[in-house]
Amino acid sequence: MNKKVYIIPTGAFSFQLQAKLLAEIVGGAVYPWPKVPPTPADTVIVAGNIDVIPQATFNFVRFKKLIWYTVIEGDFPDFGIKLAVNAYKPYIITPSKYVKGLLEAHDIHVDEVIPHGIAYYPPDKVPQKDIDFLYIGEPLKRKVPPWAYPVLQRLQDRLVLVSDFTHPEIRKLKPKIAYQTMKAEVAADYPAASDDVLRDLYSRTRFYLNVSANEGFGLTPLEAQAFGAIPIAPELPALRETLGDCVYWVPIKPNDYEIWQYGLLKLHLYHYDPETMIKVAENAKWSEDQAKECMLNASKYYYKNVYRRFLELI
């Protein structure tokens, strides 16, 4: 295949990682927005939040085919998005049925659901475990909502936390082991969580303590599953789609969420009871059989498998 393919990640660091994995499969070149490739392309794939994708697309008027690979976790102003859809006729892909439903509620047609790919394939054996709980998340309200702090505080003696320890609320926590996320600034006294460190932490973890209030897909719990970590998670719509049956679920009510104004977005933050999550975590029993079930589920999302579908689309 001699087609020229450009992949344009926008926004979050996770989109840049996904773009690199996707480029490996389709043989494309990655140009993080706002960089503009010098020559026309056969296919341009723009990956990111739905509110940013039209702005990034305006930089690319020289392509034969346009694909939007997009995500959102709530409501959004749709006027500019619909203008871009009418102008460029993109093939729109979401990573979950949940995100598909949010777009279709605005009468934006979604052509296909293709899950995000994870970079890790499960090892042949369940790794040895010596970490009880792990969480990886920025101190944004969606990733660490106010009702998550009691959970992190109660379990901090058994917790490995990868976050931004320049943030005052995160800095108040005293986890057993702390790492500074690679997405954030360098923080004194906190080592950076490189890819090798994350792989090691995933391998050693019994339970992935997912305290976020919403996800459009949910990469980190799936990555943890690949190494036999069992998620403890609220019943967020996207996580119910992806994580399978090996999870310790924390109940939420379907419409029990608050609106978080994040720029022009109105993101949905689902409430869960922190005391219930603490109880679930303290009573959770890790077993090799349940870990293997998680690993089997994660294997379905290995990027070399899920992203092959893009070869048929470009």
Side-chain angles (χ1 to χ4, degrees):
M1 183 180 295
N2 295 318
K3 290 185 177 180
K4 184 177 290 185
V5 180
Y6 296 147
I7 303 166
I8 316 299
T10 67
F13 184 68
S14 60
F15 293 128
Q16 298 181 37
L17 298 179
Q18 290 295 300
K20 291 178 181 177
L21 298 179
L22 183 54
E24 179 185 328
I25 301 304
V26 302
V30 177
Y31 288 88
W33 183 73
K35 290 183 178 179
V36 179
T39 57
D42 294 294
T43 302
V44 169
I45 303 172
V46 186
N49 284 346
I50 188 64
D51 60 312
V52 180
I53 277 186
Q55 187 178 356
T57 302
F58 293 150
N59 291 331
F60 297 93
V61 293
R62 298 175 297 172
F63 51 77
K64 296 178 182 177
K65 186 169 185 178
L66 174 66
I67 296 173
W68 286 359
Y69 193 21
T70 189
V71 70
I72 196 67
E73 297 91 9
D75 205 5
F76 53 90
D78 60 16
F79 180 73
I81 296 167
K82 288 182 175 180
L83 285 179
V85 169
N86 289 333
Y88 294 108
K89 305 295 188 295
Y91 189 89
I92 300 178
I93 301 170
T94 64
S96 65
K97 294 177 183 177
Y98 167 65
V99 176
K100 180 176 184 285
L102 292 174
L103 267 62
E104 291 181 340
H106 286 261
D107 294 322
I108 296 172
H109 175 71
V110 174
D111 295 281
E112 193 166 345
V113 174
I114 301 177
H116 287 322
I118 63 172
Y120 310 113
Y121 194 80
D124 293 335
K125 296 181 180 179
V126 180
Q128 293 294 313
K129 306 295 183 182
D130 63 356
I131 294 171
D132 285 337
F133 303 114
L134 169 67
Y135 182 59
I136 303 169
E138 301 293 309
L140 296 173
K141 193 175 181 181
R142 182 175 68 83
K143 289 293 189 180
V144 188
W147 45 97
Y149 284 100
V151 180
L152 299 176
Q153 289 166 352
R154 185 81 65 86
L155 301 174
Q156 61 186 355
D157 291 344
R158 303 166 61 191
L159 173 70
V160 175
L161 181 61
V162 180
S163 191
D164 181 2
F165 285 88
T166 64
H167 189 278
E169 292 302 315
I170 295 294
R171 202 171 181 89
K172 290 178 184 177
L173 297 170
K174 303 298 179 185
K176 181 180 179 180
I177 304 174
Y179 283 94
Q180 181 75 351
T181 173
M182 296 290 286
K183 304 176 190 178
E185 303 173 11
V186 174
D189 303 324
Y190 294 93
S194 65
D195 289 342
D196 289 341
V197 167
L198 291 179
R199 178 188 287 267
D200 178 64
L201 294 178
Y202 284 142
S203 297
R204 295 163 55 194
T205 295
R206 294 184 181 91
F207 299 103
Y208 187 81
L209 187 68
N210 195 99
V211 298
S212 63
N214 205 357
E215 299 289 343
F217 181 72
L219 273 174
T220 51
L222 270 173
E223 290 177 341
Q225 277 190 329
F227 295 94
I230 300 169
I232 298 169
E235 293 182 298
L236 304 177
L239 298 187
R240 290 293 301 186
E241 286 184 51
T242 59
L243 293 185
D245 298 323
C246 69
V247 183
Y248 283 101
W249 292 111
V250 177
I252 61 171
K253 297 177 182 178
N255 296 313
D256 184 16
Y257 59 79
E258 65 181 61
I259 302 298
W260 177 38
Q261 191 75 42
Y262 186 63
L264 296 176
L265 303 178
K266 295 182 178 180
L267 302 184
H268 299 170
L269 304 186
Y270 285 89
H271 297 123
Y272 55 82
D273 177 41
E275 290 298 323
T276 300
M277 179 171 277
I278 291 167
K279 185 176 180 180
V280 170
E282 291 179 336
N283 293 332
K285 304 295 184 185
W286 185 90
S287 72
E288 187 167 312
D289 286 345
Q290 193 169 351
K292 287 179 178 178
E293 186 178 354
C294 284
M295 293 167 72
L296 180 61
N297 181 72
S299 69
K300 302 173 187 175
Y301 296 92
Y302 186 49
Y303 78 101
K304 290 186 178 180
N305 297 330
V306 297
Y307 284 160
R308 290 189 63 82
R309 168 62 180 147
F310 279 90
L311 290 171
E312 304 172 28
L313 299 176
I314 61 174

